Amino acid sequence: MNSLVKFVQDEFVEKKEYPQFGAGDTITVYYEIREGEKKRTQFFKGVVLQRKGSGSTETFTIRKMSGTVGVERIFPINLPALQKIEVNKKGKVRRARIFYFRGLTGKKARIKERRG
């Protein structure tokens, strides 16, 4: 049964190429929004908190500050509405999931940039 699900995902799920990114990186995600008959592109720029799952069920969580309120959004990696992902900054973190980042404010909420 497992191999049948994997076969269907490999054959019928469309794969897009995105740049390499991980926890701590600052990225911009451009995605399409449909409002009735109209379509428009919106972007969400923030820090990646985690990448979760594998294959066609992989997701990633992004957090940004909107004024004084933290906003998080979870995107599936194979969402048809995703247009492109830009990596703005590579962050230097020591964990794969940086949930501690939610509790940080001010200068403590900065992530050092990784060179190279």
Side-chain angles (χ1 to χ4, degrees):
M1 188 67 184
N2 237 357
S3 61
L4 181 63
V5 171
K6 187 172 178 357
F7 172 75
V8 170
Q9 287 176 348
D10 291 342
E11 289 294 318
F12 299 109
V13 174
E14 183 180 316
K15 288 189 170 56
K16 296 179 184 175
E17 290 296 318
Y18 296 117
Q20 292 280 330
F21 64 92
D25 296 349
T26 303
I27 65 172
T28 306
V29 178
Y30 294 88
Y31 58 99
E32 190 176 85
I33 291 183
R34 292 192 185 110
E35 295 168 335
E37 295 295 315
K38 297 181 204 166
K39 293 181 187 176
R40 65 184 175 89
T41 301
Q42 187 169 328
F43 67 91
F44 193 91
K45 182 178 179 179
V47 177
V48 178
L49 292 185
Q50 70 170 344
R51 282 185 79 153
K52 187 176 187 181
S54 63
S56 63
T57 60
E58 185 176 359
T59 61
F60 58 97
T61 305
I62 302 180
R63 179 181 176 87
K64 75 172 184 178
M65 293 302 290
S66 181
T68 58
V69 179
V71 180
E72 288 184 17
R73 178 123 194 221
I74 300 171
F75 290 97
I77 200 81
N78 66 341
L79 184 69
L82 271 185
Q83 292 178 341
K84 68 177 178 176
I85 297 174
E86 287 179 354
V87 178
N88 303 100
K89 253 197 302 191
K90 292 292 226 179
K92 182 182 175 188
V93 293
R94 294 169 60 169
R95 296 174 181 266
R97 298 186 177 167
I98 55 170
F99 297 130
Y100 66 87
F101 192 66
R102 293 172 177 155
L104 303 180
T105 56
K107 287 186 177 180
K108 290 183 179 180
R110 289 189 292 192
I111 295 177
K112 287 186 179 177
E113 192 169 353
R114 188 173 37 183
R115 306 258 178 204

